[in-house]
Amino acid sequence: MANLLLYNAVNQGIFSKAEDNPVNLGLFSISAFAKEKGYSVKLLKNIKFIDIDKDLKHDLKDALLVGVSCMTGDPIKNAIQFSKTLKKIAPELKIVWGGYHASLEPDQTLSNSYIDFLIRGWGEEPIVELLNAIKHNRDYTNIKGLSYKQDGKIIHNPTARYDDIGKFPMYDYKLLDGFKEQVKGRGFIYCSSRGCPFNCSFCSVAAFYEGNKPYYSYSLERIFDELQYFQKEFKPSHFFLWDDNFFVDKKRVHDFCEIYKQKKCDFKWESFGRCDFFSNCDESLLALLKEVNLKKIYFGAESGSLAVLKKINKNITPAQILSSLERIKKYGIIGDYTFMSGFPFESLADLKETLKLMKDLQGIDSSAGIRIFNFSPSPKMDLIKDCLKAGFKYPVKIEEWEKFEYHCFVPNWVSPEHARLLKVLPWLTSFLSQETLPYKEKRGIVDFVLKILHKSSKFRFKHDFYLFPVEWLALRFFYKKHLGI
């Protein structure tokens, strides 16, 4: 039984097991804060695995509120299905949506009858205040960051002002049933900061913070206290520092390394970074990162075309992308590079420059991960203006956002040949590197199929052979069917 029920509206991956529920650190933080304030919290199963008559009805007995976390793309379909189902079972129970999509498109989201409230931005404090209001039958007018309906009108309370993430308690990983068994011997996701100080035009992070600072971080003392506790408690193989960009401040990175050594830590870790940081940083810092067991860096390289990089406000060059891998390779650190294609101003020639750069990266280090995804629009990104000029029809209903999924969305403004490649490349490049293959666990025929796809991707990419891509179109078809989009 729980006062607050939380739902993570993300589908399982096509190769995931049913029990491998996706981690949602936002919900883990909300749960920890709500429990600290005296409320009981439960994370509900994915809608595909809930026994509606047994599990869900039983969980609703003590519930005051149900929170749904949702991002643009296929999670919207899941969130809508769950919310409609819940409203049929318990029409009086209040549902609040939050997360990136709800925060960036509040009016369109809240206009639906199966959603009662919406929280814009961080959810910890507003959701506890909302629980208090529901429990004690108070009004909602003073809850900052809250949107709600009153007399048929949508009301947006003033935006919440953020100051410090250090006031929130440690993430409640135990909210996820079986998490300890799920993570043992595998990667452990953790965030040491929120936000990003950069402003790439394809990204909505800055808009999510709605006038607040774009970047916040925990103290290094707290980070190490928590990482050492998690290492002892959960015994992961390594930590994945899931920050939008861990390598923002060189001094903070340097101090992190020094404290790691002082505390005699031995955990392995990986995180996200920018190519220009590693292209320009001192050799001494790279040596220090090797010393403290940094094993992999994930880079958003985005394009091999300098013209595209300038238009998306990435503020890096193809030369810096290559240099970043050359430099970290010397210290035994693996680079994993993701690219995008399908921008409204991108030509087929730009895409071919990207494919060439991807090959150049593999020429530098064959173990480097290289993947390309399809650009897909989301609310409040700066590039929406370019999309509209290119003929993009802005969705008028929330359901229309379901199709904007980065493996499958193909924009109508690209050429036919470009579109054909966008149906194949996201799948093919996901299987190029042994490092980035979907998680395997001795599953017989599944692992055999994965190996065949890996060999096919290497051959096709090496020889630029993308004709008759039946295996990749089939995988795309089954994935879309799996998501129901």
Side-chain angles (χ1 to χ4, degrees):
M1 306 296 182
N3 309 133
L4 174 62
L5 302 177
L6 297 174
Y7 183 73
N8 184 18
V10 175
N11 276 300
Q12 256 79 11
I14 194 170
F15 295 110
S16 299
K17 299 182 295 182
E19 62 269 27
D20 284 349
N21 291 295
V23 170
N24 185 317
L25 293 180
L27 292 185
F28 288 3
S29 184
I30 286 172
S31 174
F33 191 69
K35 286 180 178 178
E36 187 180 74
K37 300 303 179 182
Y39 289 100
S40 54
V41 187
K42 180 171 182 178
L43 182 67
L44 296 173
K45 294 179 184 176
N46 187 291
I47 189 70
K48 292 183 179 179
F49 304 110
I50 290 178
D51 184 325
I52 302 297
D53 292 325
K54 182 181 176 183
D55 297 339
L56 194 51
K57 287 183 179 179
H58 178 267
D59 289 328
L60 299 181
K61 290 181 181 178
D62 291 335
L64 295 170
L65 181 67
V66 179
V68 177
S69 175
C70 182
M71 296 185 70
T72 306
D74 76 270
I76 288 177
K77 185 179 185 67
N78 213 348
I80 292 172
Q81 183 186 358
F82 169 78
S83 300
K84 286 182 175 179
T85 300
L86 192 61
K87 276 298 181 184
K88 287 180 182 178
I89 295 172
E92 300 304 314
L93 185 60
K94 302 300 184 184
I95 297 176
V96 56
W97 275 36
Y100 270 90
H101 189 88
S103 296
L104 300 175
E105 190 57 82
D107 289 287
Q108 192 182 87
T109 302
L110 194 52
S111 65
N112 296 282
S113 60
Y114 48 83
I115 305 171
D116 301 293
F117 301 102
L118 185 148
I119 291 174
R120 311 182 315 274
W122 297 0
E124 291 91 346
E125 292 176 315
I127 208 165
V128 167
E129 292 178 34
L130 183 56
L131 282 164
N132 291 339
I134 293 171
K135 183 177 181 180
H136 300 291
N137 197 28
R138 299 173 186 156
D139 67 35
Y140 317 115
T141 56
N142 295 319
I143 303 175
K144 291 184 178 179
L146 183 72
S147 300
Y148 57 96
K149 289 173 275 195
Q150 184 175 331
D151 300 326
K153 295 182 180 179
I154 293 176
I155 308 296
H156 298 298
N157 287 351
T159 299
R161 294 300 164 199
Y162 314 136
D163 45 26
D164 177 27
I165 61 173
K167 62 185 174 183
F168 299 125
M170 184 172 67
Y171 296 119
D172 179 19
Y173 289 91
K174 293 180 181 178
L175 177 69
L176 184 57
D177 286 342
F179 177 79
K180 189 167 186 175
E181 292 73 28
Q182 180 177 318
V183 78
K184 185 177 181 180
R186 296 168 67 180
F188 186 105
I189 294 175
Y190 175 83
C191 255
S192 73
S193 66
R194 298 187 190 185
C196 177
F198 298 92
N199 197 22
C200 303
S201 60
F202 58 85
C203 180
S204 301
V205 168
F208 177 81
Y209 285 85
E210 201 177 353
N212 285 276
K213 285 194 310 179
Y215 178 75
Y216 304 77
S217 62
Y218 290 144
S219 69
L220 291 176
E221 181 181 3
R222 170 174 176 161
I223 294 169
F224 278 96
D225 285 347
E226 293 187 348
L227 290 179
Q228 288 182 306
Y229 166 77
F230 293 141
Q231 185 180 23
K232 183 178 180 181
E233 176 71 13
F234 296 106
K235 297 177 173 56
S237 61
H238 64 282
F239 286 107
F240 190 167
L241 302 189
W242 197 263
D243 305 42
D244 284 306
N245 183 356
F246 181 80
F247 304 92
V248 169
D249 179 355
K250 287 185 180 180
K251 183 180 186 309
R252 179 175 180 262
V253 174
H254 184 274
D255 291 346
F256 175 91
C257 296
E258 291 298 339
I259 295 173
Y260 182 105
K261 290 165 61 181
Q262 291 168 15
K263 289 182 174 289
K264 295 181 168 53
C265 296
D266 62 356
F267 59 79
K268 299 173 184 176
W269 60 289
E270 50 193 56
S271 195
F272 291 94
R274 281 178 56 95
C275 295
D276 52 343
F277 182 97
F278 286 91
S279 176
N280 298 325
C281 73
D282 298 335
E283 292 285 336
S284 59
L285 183 55
L286 292 172
L288 196 54
L289 288 167
K290 173 182 172 62
E291 194 176 346
V292 299
N293 284 317
L294 174 60
K295 297 301 180 183
K296 184 187 287 189
I297 306 165
Y298 295 82
F299 296 99
E302 319 314 350
S303 180
S305 163
L306 181 59
V308 170
L309 289 170
K310 286 180 178 179
K311 286 182 179 178
I312 62 176
N313 199 33
K314 188 67 184 180
N315 291 320
I316 61 173
T317 66
Q320 287 176 320
I321 296 171
L322 294 172
S323 173
S324 64
L325 182 59
E326 289 171 341
R327 299 193 75 210
I328 66 173
K329 182 192 175 186
K330 291 192 294 183
Y331 295 90
I333 301 170
I334 295 173
D336 189 288
Y337 294 78
T338 53
F339 295 83
M340 282 194 286
S341 183
F343 297 111
F345 38 71
E346 182 190 20
S347 67
L348 182 61
D350 291 321
L351 171 56
K352 290 182 177 179
E353 283 190 66
T354 296
L355 294 174
K356 180 183 182 304
L357 182 64
M358 292 167 72
K359 287 186 177 183
D360 290 342
L361 287 169
Q362 283 219 316
I364 293 170
D365 185 355
S366 60
S367 66
I370 52 166
R371 289 166 289 170
I372 189 166
F373 300 122
N374 293 352
F375 164 75
S376 58
S378 64
K380 298 285 179 71
M381 63 163 54
D382 287 345
L383 277 186
I384 283 290
K385 293 172 282 190
D386 295 280
C387 296
L388 292 170
K389 289 178 183 176
F392 174 61
K393 292 185 175 13
Y394 197 88
V396 295
K397 295 181 180 179
I398 190 171
E399 292 87 349
E400 296 175 24
W401 288 104
E402 295 171 4
K403 64 183 179 181
F404 298 113
E405 203 279 335
Y406 62 87
H407 280 98
C408 299
F409 176 73
V410 178
N412 58 9
W413 51 72
V414 298
S415 69
E417 185 180 352
H418 199 155
R420 284 195 294 272
L421 287 171
L422 291 183
K423 291 179 180 178
V424 174
L425 290 172
W427 297 100
L428 185 151
T429 57
S430 293
F431 288 82
L432 269 175
S433 171
Q434 200 73 34
E435 287 279 335
T436 57
L437 281 175
Y439 179 73
K440 307 185 292 299
E441 196 169 313
K442 298 180 180 178
R443 291 173 293 170
I445 187 65
V446 174
D447 288 343
F448 176 74
V449 171
L450 293 178
K451 289 177 182 177
I452 295 297
L453 290 173
H454 175 55
K455 291 183 182 297
S456 166
S457 66
K458 290 185 71 174
F459 176 83
R460 284 183 175 276
F461 187 73
K462 180 179 179 181
H463 298 284
D464 293 317
F465 181 64
Y466 304 118
L467 295 175
F468 313 112
V470 289
E471 68 275 41
W472 305 110
L473 293 178
L475 188 58
R476 182 176 185 268
F477 170 81
F478 285 117
Y479 184 75
K480 291 185 70 174
K481 188 175 181 181
H482 168 74
L483 297 182
I485 60 173

